[in-house]
Amino acid sequence: VKNRVRDLRADREWSQAELAERLEVSRQTINAIETGKYDPSLPLAFRIAALFRNRIEEVFFPEK
Amino acid sequence: LELPGCGGELNARQRGAYRLYWIALGLYCVLLPVAVKLTRHYHEWRWKPLFMLLPLAAVVLVLRGMALYFSAADEMQRRILAESCAYAFAISVFATIAVGFFEGTVIPPIDWSVRFSFMMVVWGVAAIITKKRYK
């Protein structure tokens, strides 16, 4: 699964640590999601999308 | 030294659990020789096995620390812990079976505590390797 988390975070000028704090996860988890090493669970994906005020399919999408 | 899995940045709950884990391990190191000494001193007392329950209290605290640490971890950290634990279990079972064939013939019998220590070491190594996969 690909995602736009890094772009959305950069738009808001948040650091990875800041985003991690808002989502109550570790910074390593944010880094792993951004680099595509880890696919978040559905509840976390929904929380990420809600935080960026996007729909989940606008943040996460399948790799071609 | 760290609990297998996370390391690096710990949240407040994880730090608390981590502290409990190490304090309990320290307590175990103190209580074990005390229990052994008491058991030897009161060797004729029929309830002497009760002394051996002393270190068990510390073991319970160690497990409590690990459980708290796990519950305070986020989903990716939990996955790392679980994956590495599964690897450690699989490797340890394989090693135990493989060594079992040679035990008592080519190599001397191996104490269960050595096997357990081996599994813990493998868990630690597996956690480091698994963690790298998500970096």
Side-chain angles (χ1 to χ4, degrees):
Chain A
V1 175
K2 282 191 158 189
N3 68 75
R4 293 174 49 230
V5 173
R6 182 169 294 213
D7 295 338
L8 293 165
R9 177 176 63 77
D11 289 345
R12 284 157 185 77
E13 295 180 345
W14 291 342
S15 64
Q16 284 187 342
E18 218 173 330
L19 178 58
E21 207 178 316
R22 285 169 194 263
L23 292 166
E24 294 177 339
V25 296
S26 66
R27 194 196 55 77
Q28 293 99 316
T29 300
I30 297 298
N31 186 56
I33 291 170
E34 286 187 357
T35 52
K37 299 262 172 71
Y38 174 71
D39 293 330
S41 66
L42 207 47
L44 179 57
F46 272 115
R47 268 164 51 209
I48 293 169
L51 184 68
F52 290 126
R53 295 181 191 283
N54 275 259
R55 285 184 301 180
I56 194 166
E57 63 268 30
E58 291 169 335
V59 182
F60 297 93
F61 37 90
E63 279 180 270
K64 281 176 189 171
Chain B
L1 283 169
E2 62 185 46
L3 278 168
C6 318
E9 302 155 29
L10 302 176
N11 61 41
R13 281 180 63 212
Q14 281 174 314
R15 275 196 298 274
Y18 195 59
R19 211 175 300 125
L20 173 66
Y21 172 80
W22 281 110
I23 289 171
L25 273 183
L27 198 63
Y28 176 78
C29 293
V30 172
L31 287 178
L32 184 64
V34 168
V36 170
K37 207 161 193 161
L38 282 173
T39 312
R40 283 182 185 156
H41 192 261
Y42 295 96
H43 63 280
E44 284 180 3
W45 191 46
R46 64 188 285 227
W47 298 106
K48 68 173 184 182
L50 284 179
F51 292 131
M52 293 318 289
L53 291 177
L54 282 174
L56 260 188
V59 172
V60 169
L61 282 179
V62 169
L63 294 175
R64 170 93 181 131
M66 290 174 88
L68 286 174
Y69 190 83
F70 189 79
S71 71
D74 70 28
E75 58 177 58
M76 189 187 80
Q77 293 170 329
R78 282 182 192 182
R79 179 183 284 196
I80 292 171
L81 281 167
E83 268 184 34
S84 52
C85 193
Y87 288 135
F89 180 74
I91 292 167
S92 302
V93 166
F94 178 79
T96 302
I97 292 169
V99 167
F101 288 120
F102 301 100
E103 224 174 328
T105 52
V106 188
I107 53 170
I110 296 168
D111 191 66
W112 69 270
S113 59
V114 174
R115 294 162 203 250
F116 182 71
S117 307
F118 174 76
M119 185 179 167
M120 292 306 282
V121 170
V122 174
W123 188 17
V125 173
I128 292 167
I129 294 166
T130 311
K131 215 159 61 174
K132 280 192 190 302
R133 273 183 40 218
Y134 291 101
K135 263 190 179 169

